[in-house]
Amino acid sequence: MAVHLYKKITFSLAYQRYMIPFSNEVMNLIFSYVKEKTKGQSLDMALDVGCGTGRYTLPLAPHFKKVLGIDISESQINVAKQYNTARNVSYMVAPAEKLHMKNDSVDLVNAGLAAHWFAINKFGSEAVRVLKTNGCLALHGFYPATEIKYKDLSHDLNKAMSEMWDTLFQHLYALKLPSASDHMFTQYQNIYEAIPLTDKEWITDIPVKIPMSLPEIIGFIQSFCPFQILLQNDVKKAEQFLIQTEKRFRDILGEEADVAQLNAFIKHYCVLACKH
Ligand SMILES: C[S@@+](CC[C@H](N)C(=O)[O-])C[C@H]1O[C@@H](n2cnc3c(N)ncnc32)[C@H](O)[C@@H]1O
């Protein structure tokens, strides 16, 4: 399974460094939803499942008395612990499909960019089991395509970007490897349908703007699982792919390649549900 990639410390450090930051837009949606549904109940516990290096765990800290981040990968959890800045946040290695929490004990079960890796039916019933009445579930991610805007070079940059994604996914399809990207391309439609709660919402196409330099874009590509799958299966092809991608962007940006602040637009989506 591609998920074994996350067990490498080199990947976890690259992930922490280059994965795009958490989305305020998505977090605000989640916090308003929790506020509306929990109706002033005390917010004692949030669980961040598949927390990785803690990208979405730390922003939960000011809103809940305690936050626990769990992940199946020890190296992700080690990096998360290393970067932990909140006293009410803790981390442990544990799977999404068997949650070590009591029944009716959690106010929010969150999973950022992770639910596409879970055995979703097992995770869904576990999430419902641990949620309190009025407790909420939030599953979210981003669409694997990026629109770039920069001066009058946007058209060429976007062409390069979309060809980059196409090439990357073609390599993956050619290798016939299992991939969770179908869930991402459908913005979690099947995951939304699989959640065993009736009070649920599916929000798609949430626009998120991220300023990025060229090295950050190249880093982001490397922190993205499909690239790592290619790297693990064909190092030469992966290296060539990265060199060619960077060259293509450099050719377009010319002398500005090292200083340009580009604007990346990455669509996010979110499944929200509430237990009654
Ligand atoms: C793309 S990362 C997302 C990490 C983090 N939530 C974020 O938004 O940056 C996906 C994470 O899900 C974890 N994961 C995959 N399958 C899992 C499972 N069955 N149980 C727990 N964690 C899992 C991986 O180890 C990885 O850290």
Side-chain angles (χ1 to χ4, degrees):
M1 262 301 267
V3 90
H4 290 306
L5 289 170
Y6 294 106
K7 298 191 172 174
K8 288 178 139 185
I9 188 69
T10 42
F11 182 31
S12 293
L13 288 168
Y15 189 88
Q16 164 66 18
R17 182 158 179 209
Y18 290 119
M19 178 46 75
I20 53 169
F22 74 88
S23 152
N24 265 319
E25 292 82 345
V26 171
M27 286 319 263
N28 289 340
L29 257 178
I30 296 172
F31 294 138
S32 327
Y33 186 79
V34 170
K35 200 171 165 197
E36 179 199 324
K37 297 288 179 181
T38 54
K39 303 176 185 97
Q41 272 174 216
S42 140
L43 298 180
D44 302 311
M45 182 64 170
L47 181 64
D48 187 23
V49 186
C51 64
T53 58
R55 199 168 63 110
Y56 277 97
T57 324
L58 284 176
L60 298 171
H63 302 266
F64 297 86
K65 285 189 190 144
K66 280 189 181 169
V67 181
L68 174 64
I70 63 165
D71 198 287
I72 205 161
S73 150
E74 198 174 343
S75 72
Q76 293 281 75
I77 290 294
N78 286 341
V79 174
K81 284 181 175 167
Q82 195 182 324
Y83 285 87
N84 189 6
T85 49
R87 296 177 69 151
N88 61 338
V89 171
S90 54
Y91 292 102
M92 66 184 263
V93 177
E97 295 79 5
K98 194 163 179 5
L99 302 175
H100 295 264
M101 310 292 290
K102 289 188 183 147
N103 295 355
D104 309 308
S105 61
V106 177
D107 299 284
L108 170 69
V109 174
N110 177 69
L113 202 61
H116 48 278
W117 295 116
F118 304 163
I120 200 66
N121 292 328
K122 280 189 187 164
F123 163 72
S125 43
E126 276 292 87
V128 173
R129 178 184 68 74
V130 302
L131 279 175
K132 292 181 189 170
T133 300
N134 299 329
C136 301
L137 177 65
L139 311 175
H140 47 99
F142 61 75
Y143 191 83
T146 316
E147 199 195 332
I148 301 282
K149 285 195 180 153
Y150 183 68
K151 296 187 177 171
D152 58 349
L153 300 174
S154 304
H155 176 265
D156 289 352
L157 288 167
N158 278 322
K159 197 160 180 287
M161 200 69 181
S162 86
E163 284 171 17
M164 182 283 291
W165 288 120
D166 285 352
T167 312
L168 182 55
F169 283 104
Q170 267 165 29
H171 285 320
L172 287 191
Y173 291 134
L175 286 165
K176 293 194 171 50
L177 292 166
S179 157
S181 46
D182 289 349
H183 283 308
M184 296 176 77
F185 279 119
T186 59
Q187 303 199 45
Y188 277 10
Q189 179 168 10
N190 292 343
I191 290 177
Y192 167 72
E193 284 161 11
I195 294 308
L197 289 169
T198 48
D199 182 1
K200 54 183 174 179
E201 294 175 25
W202 178 36
I203 303 135
T204 58
D205 300 313
I206 305 164
V208 175
K209 176 175 147 185
I210 306 168
M212 277 178 153
S213 63
L214 179 56
E216 282 168 336
I217 289 178
I218 300 299
F220 167 55
I221 296 168
Q222 291 174 79
S223 73
F224 197 48
C225 201
F227 174 79
Q228 291 291 330
I229 300 175
L230 179 63
L231 186 66
Q232 209 172 53
N233 283 276
D234 195 332
V235 178
K236 262 198 175 157
K237 210 171 238 177
E239 282 174 357
Q240 269 311 105
F241 166 79
L242 213 56
I243 290 167
Q244 278 163 9
T245 301
E246 181 162 357
K247 182 176 180 315
R248 177 116 188 243
F249 280 112
R250 282 191 174 279
D251 288 347
I252 297 169
L253 289 165
E255 285 177 354
E256 296 179 44
D258 288 315
V259 289
Q261 272 299 313
L262 318 170
N263 280 320
F265 292 82
I266 303 184
K267 277 194 291 190
H268 285 56
Y269 43 85
C270 186
V271 172
L272 293 168
C274 177
K275 174 175 167 182
H276 291 294

